Every structure is written in structure tokens, then in C-alpha cells.
Amino acid sequence: MADGETETQQTKTDQNVEETQTSSTSDPYKCVWNGVPMTWNETSKQWLPDVEVNEDFLAYYNANYGIQYDYDSMPKPEAPKVVLKEETTEDGEPKKEVTKLTKEQKQLKKREAKRRWAEAEAARRQQGWFEMDEEKNTTVYTSGFPPTIDEEEYVKFMTKCGVVQKDPRTGKPKIKLYRIKETGEPKGDGTCCYVELALQILDGWQWDTAHKIHVERAKFELKGEFDPSKKRQRLSGAQKKKFLEKQEKLGIFQWKPDKPRNFRNRCECTVVLKGMFSLEEIDQKPEKIFSLKEDTQKLCEQRFGTVKKIVLYESNPEGVITITFDNVEQADLTVAALNGRIVAGRTERPECRVLSIQSHVVHGYVGNKCAVFPLQLFGFEVDSINSVHFSNHTQYEKGARGQRLNATDLGEIFEGLCDNKLEREYSHILTGYCGEPTFLQKVAGIVKHCRQYKPDLLYVCDPVLGDNGNYYVPKELCTIYKKEILPLANIITPNAFELSELSGGLPVKTEEECLKAIKKLHLNFPNLNSIICTSLLVNSEGKDFLACFASERIFSDKNQSNSLHFYRFEMSYIDSIFTGTGDLFSALFLAWWEETEGNLCDTLKATISSMQAVLRRTAEYSKLKEEKTISKRELRLLDSRMDLLQPPNINQIIFKEIE
């Protein structure tokens, strides 16, 4: 009966829930049972009260269903036992209590320590002379040095095999050079401390042909009577500790590789340009800061290399701009090219564009191959037309191969420039080897055409005919030069043979004959401002030397007339055979003519100085090579790029005005 009643009661409950749910809201998962909101739990599959668990609910729950505990009858936990561990030393013995000393006790203890140290030092001084233990002796005695040696050279030599100990009191190396009492000059022997490998490495070292170094362990002997007052006082413990800490901090016992012989610091990648602007300009136009930086960076990147950083100091009265390059070589090029010049928008030289018509070779340096590079180093834009395109120059044993440009080809190339109006941009024309008469006549027409747009165009002509009494080109070219080219040129740079031929066959073997030929050309061609005879072997005051003779026509405002001035520049003779020297000379002359603003003497001094440097380097290079071939005598142009920009020994060039 009980089971039946329970089952009947459960059925009624479900029915009531269903009735309540049906009569409740439309949400099928919520209902109210006996006034208690219920929610269907899908996880447990049952209805659960929907109540908020708060303090009131918990109090109600504990009052009806909680268990009452009698806390007074429960056993109480015992208090934790604290065991004090006795402090002990590393040996396991009880550690003694340290009593703090008063200030007076500390001072008394310090004075007592000083007293004991002073007594020990006094006792040590009274010991007299004693022999040093060999194992502790780090001093070596050296002899055999020349009497001219000084302390700096001695230390540098002794550091070849180790670290020279320094005196902790003075910080100077512990070395001693024995000197003559009367004169104070070195005897050639000395001592050095803390050089352990000197006995094995430096003993027997050949200092020079007359001096051989001898190294042995130093032996100290008593001379005369022992004087305790002269004995050096020992370092205290604090001084020793400080000295050792300083040595460790400096890392003098750490091995460090030697720097390369030509080592350059990274700071040398930065170039300082002064005089780039004035404070007044910045105050009037502050926006000029940005344009000046951009112009300077653009100029340096085009000519010298990658600019990593550029800084303009707008408040600096000297107008400073610093430029940091990627490497030291680029910085050197910048210094050589810009030193003494004004750039980036102040009084910068206007853009110069050169039309260079010369020969060209694949291998070696003659013609345009020799002229374009120097001009570009100086910032010139160069458009080159190659009169010939050969494999190499013609002085090689088996000659050269390639193509020659005729007058028709030259005319077609120039017409292409004219179609695009590019011929109007040329400020300079430079000509060299032209192998055919019609080709040379076409060159004259090109010069006339370009002068229609720029009447002040500067034409520098190297009248290549031959050398040493021999023609390189057909003889009729000499006539064309005199009839059509020289009347157009401003400056010509012939050698002695070419000067003789252009002057009508006058001999050019002495200074007087050279000046006579130059005067005749000036008389026949009044348009020529300067004539430079590039080299002539002359004798003056009983000695032979190479000389460069030059003339210039100077206009006098006072007399409203022209006057000729003549100069002689002396050069050292370099015994070797070179090619391309005339082409390089004319290109450098043109570059320095613009750099010096038309100063003939300064131009020739710089040109000759650079030429001499290139020829010396070429001669030295060819001597070092075992294979004595013509290719080893090609001009060392790239190796000499710094000498082109910054001529060495320029002030040693001897020149004087003659007549």
C-alpha cells in the first residue's frame, strides 16, 4: 500500500507541475510550485528552485537544515613549539657574539695596526741587502741598444713580448735606461720589469746593422754601503688592492689583436663643412635649412658615396654642416674635392657639361678612357663621342682591333643630340685624337654649332698629330688644324713635335725655340688665349730637366690692349714609357682651369703635380711586376684618384715668368 500511495502522490505532483507550467508564462522552462519559482535544469533533467543565494537564504537554510556544533566540548590544538637553533661557524663550533666597537675603540684599533705596520717596515729596512729569489725576479737587464734610444722607443720595443709592469705610485712603466752622469746621454742598456718572455724572444734581436740586443735576467748588486733611507717603502694593503683592481679594470692582461697598420677610426667617416651658410641668411629665409641640406646631400651622394647622416647646425656662426659617410674612403674624397670650395647654393660653380671627342679603348687608359674619369671626379657632366673604339692602344706588340668612326657617323650622332636640343647644354668642348681629315672637319662644324647657343663656350684642343718626329695621323690633318680648328680654339695643349708642326715647321728643341713657336701661333691666331707646350727636355744652368712652357694673353683695361706672358714650369724626369699622358694632361687642365677660375699658373701647378704623382705610381707599379709588359705600364688612374683631387707637393713645383 505504501508503494502505491507513493506512486500515486508522485503522479499528482507531476500533474500539478504540468498544470502550473501550463498556467504560467509562455516560457516552458520556468514555473511556480507552491509559491517557489522553479527552472528546468537541462543537465540534471530536473526542476530546481530559482532563488538568489544571499545571506537571508543561507540563514534560512541553516536554521532548517544546518547541524549545530558544540565548540566548547571540542579539543583545542596545542600551541606550536619554537626551537631556537644555535648559530655555528663553518667548522661546526658555536659562533661567538660580535660586540660592536665604539668610535674611540675603532680609532684605537686603527692606530695600533699602523704602529705594528711601521715597526715591521722599520725592521725590514734594518735587514740590509738581500738577494732576490729567482722565481720572483721579473726584471730583465738589456744591453746593445744604440745611444740614441729614448724611453718611449725602449718601452715600445719591450712590449713585443709581453706587458711592461707599471709603477703603482706614478702609473709609468717600470723601466730604466742607464745614462752617463756627465752628459745624461743613454749608455745603450737598461732594465725592464715584468717581461717574462723577453729572454726567449728579444735576446739576440738585431736592432740594426750595428747593434744586437742582449737580454738576461737582472742581477742586483750592492754598490758601496747599504743606506736604509734609500729603500723604497712598501705598499700598504689598501694600495695593493687598489692597484690590482685598476689593472683588472684596464684589462692589461687580456689578449687583444693589434690594429691593422692602416687602421682608420669610424669617426673619420664624418666630414665637417664650414662656411656653408650665414646666420643672416637663415634668419631671413628659415626654409633654406631644408633646401641646403637636400642640396648638399644630393651633391655628396652623386659624387662621393652613400650619406648615412647629415646635420646642419643652424645656430653655428661658422655655418657648419656635418656629413657622415659609409666608409672612410668616401670621406677622404669629399675632403679632397670640397676643401676650399663653396657649394650647395652659395657661390657654387655653375653646372659644367663637357662634350669630349677622343679615342676610346676597352683595355688601358688613353683618350676618353683617360679623360672622362678625372672630369667626373671634379663634378663635370661628360658626354663622350669616341673617334675610334679599339681593343687597346696601338703600342701593343700585336697592334689593336676595333672600329673607326667616320664623319658620317659623327654627323648622325650629333644630329640625334640636336633633335633633342641637347647640344645647347655644352659649356666646354674637349677634343683629342681624330684620325681622318673629314672627321676633323666635322668637329669644327660641331664647335661652331654649339657656340650659336653658348658664345662663351670654352674649347680646349689637344691637337694630336704625333710625337718624337713621327706622325700618328695623316699629315693633311695638320693643315685642317691650322685652317679650321685653331681659329675656333681657346686653349691648345700640343707637345713639342706638334707645336713645331703647327708653327710651320719651326724647330722646338730649346727654350728660345719653343717661345718663338708659341709667339708665332699667337700672332697667327689672335683668338688663342693660352698655348701650353706640355713637355720639352731642356738644359738650364748645366742640368737637364723636363719643362712645360705656357703663355697667356692678358687684356689690360688701362691700355685697352693685349699682352702676352710666358711661364716655365720645371718637372722631374721619370725614366719610363707611358701612354695617354697628353689626354690626361688636357682633361686635368680643363678641370683645374674651372677650379681656379682661369688662373693659368695655379692650374698648371695643380695639373703638373697630379700628373707627376700618377706617373710615379705607374712606374713603381711596373717595376714591382716580374712580367715586364706594356699592360703593366698602363696609367694607375684609379689608384691615383686622391692625387687628382688633391695634388701632392703642389707648392714644390718650380715655375717662373720669362720674358
Side-chain angles (χ1 to χ4, degrees), residues 356 358-378 382 384 386 393 430 432 462 578-589 591 610-611 614-615 618 633-638 640 644:
S356 179
Q358 301 189 62
S359 61
H360 177 80
V361 291
V362 175
H363 178 82
Y365 290 97
V366 296
N368 273 329
K369 190 78 173 290
C370 194
V372 172
F373 175 68
L375 289 171
Q376 289 177 333
L377 273 182
F378 281 87
V382 184
S384 57
N386 302 326
H393 62 74
L430 175 65
D462 179 13
F578 305 102
T579 54
T581 53
D583 306 322
L584 178 60
F585 186 97
S586 59
L588 285 174
F589 181 90
S610 294
M611 287 289 301
V614 174
L615 297 183
T618 303
R633 295 199 302 267
E634 296 285 0
L635 296 179
R636 307 301 298 174
L637 209 56
L638 293 179
S640 308
L644 301 180

Side-chain angles (χ1 to χ4, degrees), residues 136-244:
K136 296 182 179 180
N137 184 13
T138 59
T139 304
V140 293
Y141 172 76
T142 58
S143 59
F145 291 96
T148 56
I149 192 171
D150 56 14
E151 281 77 4
E152 185 178 354
E153 286 182 298
Y154 185 70
V155 172
K156 186 177 180 181
F157 176 76
M158 298 306 294
T159 52
K160 291 179 180 292
C161 58
V163 179
V164 177
Q165 188 178 9
K166 291 187 177 181
D167 192 324
R169 296 176 178 84
T170 62
K172 297 180 179 180
K174 293 183 70 173
I175 57 103
K176 181 179 180 180
L177 284 179
Y178 295 104
R179 298 177 179 272
I180 303 173
K181 289 184 178 181
E182 292 77 11
T183 61
E185 296 179 356
K187 295 181 179 179
D189 58 347
T191 58
C192 181
C193 188
Y194 205 72
V195 186
E196 297 182 352
L197 298 178
L199 298 174
Q200 293 82 12
I201 297 177
L202 300 183
D203 188 28
W205 188 287
Q206 195 71 35
W207 180 273
D208 53 29
T209 56
H211 298 87
K212 188 175 183 180
I213 307 303
H214 173 64
V215 181
E216 60 179 299
R217 195 172 294 277
K219 295 180 181 179
F220 299 94
E221 298 177 353
L222 178 62
K223 296 181 179 180
E225 296 182 358
F226 178 73
D227 186 0
S229 62
K230 294 183 179 180
K231 197 169 185 179
R232 298 185 66 180
Q233 188 176 2
R234 289 191 304 174
L235 295 176
S236 64
Q239 289 175 323
K240 285 183 180 179
K241 183 179 179 181
K242 185 177 180 181
F243 176 65
L244 293 175

Side-chain angles (χ1 to χ4, degrees), residues 117 188 261 364 437 465 567 608 624:
W117 182 86
R261 182 174 297 178
L465 295 174
Y567 308 93
I608 293 172
L624 293 175

Side-chain angles (χ1 to χ4, degrees), residues 507-524:
V508 180
K509 294 183 179 180
T510 63
E511 179 177 315
E512 293 75 14
E513 293 174 347
C514 181
L515 295 178
K516 184 178 180 180
I518 291 176
K519 290 178 182 178
K520 184 176 180 180
L521 285 179
H522 273 295
L523 182 63
N524 295 337

